Amino acid sequence: MQINMPRFEPGKEVRVVRNIRNDGSFRDRDKGDLLVTAGSTGIVRSCGYFLQTQLIYQVYIEAENKVVGVRDSEVIDATLPWVPCLFRSLDKAKLTCSLVMFGKPLASKGDVIEVYRAHRNLDDGSVNYEVKFGDHTIRLDATRLTPIEA
């Protein structure tokens, strides 16, 4: 079992990359209520481990005037450019470019595709998405997809 070392020290400003919902820790709120929205920034107060495997930061979110616990995978350095995650699993998106694999076209610019999974790089804050084309799963940079106009 590998235990991760903290990436952030107390006093460091971090940005939450996912919506944080009440897991039952906030007794005055219903379980599942939104506590902090993705993109919010806060200051690390302390860190510790849950079940000796998950690194948890205690983060003070000044805009919400609350302290929340967030997993290591839910925060990035606040100085990194903020790239919102626009798509989740099963969302539809439009390609901003054509895709070719081994010289054969997979999809054309403007085609609507389904997002399989979203990934955030915790080191640089970038977002990319896994999409499927037949037997192929491809990871695309966030700039390669755009929302479908309503």
Side-chain angles (χ1 to χ4, degrees):
M1 163 176 48
Q2 179 182 346
I3 297 178
N4 294 334
M5 297 303 296
R7 292 184 297 132
F8 305 107
E9 298 294 324
K12 180 71 176 170
E13 187 174 19
V14 294
R15 183 177 310 276
V16 177
V17 298
R18 293 188 180 122
N19 289 336
I20 304 298
R21 298 192 176 276
N22 186 16
D23 63 357
S25 301
F26 287 79
R27 296 172 201 254
D28 61 331
R29 306 284 300 270
D30 289 335
K31 197 170 184 178
D33 279 358
L34 183 64
L35 298 173
V36 178
T37 57
S40 299
T41 59
I43 304 295
V44 173
R45 286 202 167 164
S46 64
C47 64
Y49 294 91
F50 176 69
L51 298 176
Q52 299 179 350
T53 59
Q54 292 186 44
L55 180 59
I56 306 291
Y57 294 101
Q58 184 185 58
V59 178
Y60 173 65
I61 309 292
E62 184 177 9
E64 305 288 334
N65 192 29
K66 66 178 67 150
V67 176
V68 295
V70 295
R71 292 177 284 184
D72 185 56
S73 62
E74 297 174 324
V75 290
I76 59 173
D77 190 315
T79 62
L80 293 173
W82 175 236
V83 179
C85 186
L86 299 178
F87 308 105
R88 302 284 180 221
S89 294
L90 304 179
D91 284 350
K92 303 287 188 208
K94 193 184 309 184
L95 286 170
T96 63
C97 63
S98 295
L99 299 177
V100 176
M101 181 180 279
F102 305 117
K104 295 183 181 182
L106 280 180
S108 300
K109 180 178 178 178
D111 282 355
V112 174
I113 55 93
E114 185 174 276
V115 173
Y116 178 67
R117 183 175 292 143
H119 297 274
R120 179 162 315 261
N121 183 312
L122 298 178
D123 295 324
D124 67 14
S126 64
V127 175
N128 55 56
Y129 301 98
E130 277 184 30
V131 296
K132 287 190 174 188
F133 295 96
D135 294 336
H136 304 290
T137 300
I138 300 170
R139 196 175 277 203
L140 299 174
D141 180 83
T143 61
R144 304 297 183 207
L145 298 177
T146 188
I148 300 171
E149 294 83 24

